[in-house]
Amino acid sequence: MIGNVPSDFRLPTSDSVIGRLADDVVLSIEDLWVEYQTPAGPMQAVRGATLEIRRGEAVALIGESGSGKTTLGLALLRLLTRTARVSRGRARFRIGDGRTLELFSLGGSDLRRFRWQECAMVFQAALNSLNPVLKVRDHFIETARAHGRKDDRQTSERARELLRMVQLDGERVLSSYPHELSGGMRQRVSIALSLLLEPQLIILDEPTTALDILTQRAIIDVIRSLRQRLNFTMMFISHDLSLAAELADRVATMYAGELVEVGKVRDVFYTPKHPYTVGLLNAVPPIAGEEFTPLTAIPGSPPDLLAMPSGCSFHPRCPYATELCVRQAPPLFAVGNGHQAACFHWERVTRRLDVWEGAVR
Ligand code: SF4
């Protein structure tokens, strides 16, 4: 059952178990920093991220490529490459009985159990995440066996059921190799596989990227119906704002490794309070309405993470920037209704396009 501790879940015995998070919080990330070692020195890909995700909630992490979204997801599952490390901060996860895991202290079998039984990740390139020499059935069976579920018949039955939920012909797909399936089918297989051990939290990394528009639509419908049925918590990573609008309860915008705006979908999309979110919204066709709206690109480029600008990292591209922004980095300000924005001048921010003329410094 989603949200309950699986019968064979062995609670870590180390100091990776700590106190309790608030009842409805599944994941709490506090001041998380992730750095990559590069020939030119350490590069901070995630900088001070703080975010809570509540039970049953869907949170979208949005932002341009390279903004740190995927790195943040990989850090939570401890799947960073060898050249990357969490340099500061903590992440806590509340398991079904109310106890809390300190994620960056988990190791060995505890970590393996956390990865599939409590939290699973669906990667954007399904062909790369599925083993090309294994049939789909073997992916399910090997995953279940690795977590102590030895009854292959029961696993196959559950796999068929999950594949039916993602609108695939279970019997045919279980007997297929990944290369025998279309991109959309492989992505659905990855989603079904992620649900096999009934994790509380699913992280979806760009779940519809590289799929054609109709297949994207189908995947969105599948995710929505799975959530209604299974009520899992979801964090999905995307640069696709329309996807966020359709699936998320809350949105968190990332820029240059920082969470710069967090709030309910409606608040962030209709009354954004960070100029970068405004720039993202003005760069895509409106989600609703019949009026033609001209599109505007955000001027300039994201900063070089090895040579960050002083103060607010967005100031070289920001039409509202002042001397204060050049000198100081803004904290996240509470702007009402649980909405937060890392901008000194959030009260002046509007979606007016003329504000952006001549923005780059
Ligand atoms: Fe722009 Fe200043 Fe706000 Fe940064 S703090 S987004 S530079 S107005």
Side-chain angles (χ1 to χ4, degrees), residues 9-319:
F9 187 91
R10 183 170 56 78
L11 201 64
T13 50
S14 65
D15 59 357
S16 56
V17 181
I18 53 163
R20 285 171 182 264
L21 289 171
D23 277 358
D24 61 340
V25 174
V26 172
L27 175 69
S28 167
I29 305 166
E30 294 161 58
D31 193 27
L32 177 63
W33 291 69
V34 181
E35 72 177 26
Y36 286 90
Q37 291 306 322
T38 75
M43 185 188 78
Q44 313 295 335
V46 176
R47 301 184 306 131
T50 294
L51 184 69
E52 281 190 343
I53 300 185
R54 298 181 196 102
R55 188 175 304 285
E57 204 182 24
V59 174
L61 274 188
I62 60 169
E64 289 162 286
S65 298
S67 58
K69 310 181 301 293
T70 298
T71 298
L72 192 151
L74 294 174
L76 294 175
L77 277 157
R78 308 272 301 280
L79 290 172
L80 292 169
T81 61
R82 281 177 193 208
T83 54
R85 71 180 184 103
V86 171
S87 56
R88 204 162 89 197
R90 71 194 300 201
R92 292 180 292 162
F93 188 92
R94 187 176 191 272
I95 55 178
D97 69 353
R99 282 174 288 181
T100 303
L101 304 183
E102 187 78 53
L103 295 188
F104 302 140
S105 302
L106 286 178
S109 58
D110 296 332
L111 178 58
R112 200 165 55 245
R113 282 163 193 273
F114 166 73
R115 276 186 185 148
W116 279 93
Q117 293 179 202
E118 290 289 331
C119 178
M121 188 159 179
V122 177
F123 296 93
Q124 63 175 281
L127 190 56
N128 297 342
S129 61
L130 297 172
N131 187 331
V133 298
L134 289 184
K135 289 186 174 176
V136 170
R137 183 190 312 278
D138 298 326
H139 286 80
F140 281 90
I141 286 176
E142 289 209 352
T143 303
R145 282 187 186 166
H147 290 266
R149 299 184 184 190
K150 308 286 185 203
D151 186 337
D152 294 352
R153 208 175 50 82
Q154 206 176 17
T155 300
S156 294
E157 191 45 50
R158 178 65 179 154
R160 258 192 298 277
E161 190 186 343
L162 287 167
L163 290 169
R164 261 197 308 274
M165 284 188 210
V166 297
Q167 292 160 18
L168 290 175
D169 172 349
E171 205 44 61
R172 180 172 97 70
V173 169
L174 282 174
S175 309
S176 304
Y177 287 98
H179 71 268
E180 294 175 315
L181 306 174
S182 69
M185 291 167 86
R186 286 193 293 264
Q187 195 60 293
R188 290 179 209 206
V189 167
S190 294
I191 292 170
L193 186 58
S194 75
L195 293 167
L196 178 64
L197 301 183
E198 300 162 359
Q200 291 191 75
L201 175 67
I202 309 282
I203 300 176
L204 295 127
D205 186 6
E206 305 277 9
T208 58
T209 300
L211 299 175
D212 66 78
I213 191 87
L214 292 177
T215 311
Q216 284 184 15
R217 178 75 258 159
I219 295 285
I220 290 171
D221 290 344
V222 158
I223 294 171
R224 186 186 287 124
S225 92
L226 282 173
R227 272 198 75 218
Q228 279 167 0
R229 209 158 160 178
L230 302 175
N231 194 33
F232 50 82
T233 306
M234 182 165 82
M235 177 164 99
F236 68 92
I237 293 164
S238 183
H239 59 262
D240 184 339
L241 301 190
S242 57
L243 185 67
E246 285 222 37
L247 288 176
D249 303 308
R250 282 194 303 143
V251 174
T253 309
M254 280 195 90
Y255 181 73
E258 286 176 87
L259 285 170
V260 295
E261 183 159 12
V262 182
K264 294 188 177 130
V265 169
R266 201 175 176 80
D267 293 336
V268 172
F269 280 11
Y270 284 104
T271 52
K273 293 297 173 196
H274 194 282
Y276 177 64
T277 309
V278 173
L280 286 178
L281 290 168
N282 287 345
V284 295
I287 296 157
E290 288 173 11
E291 245 176 66
F292 174 75
T293 316
L295 304 183
T296 331
I298 302 174
S301 316
D304 176 352
L305 295 178
L306 285 164
M308 290 292 286
S310 62
C312 173
S313 56
F314 192 59
H315 87 250
R317 309 172 78 184
C318 181

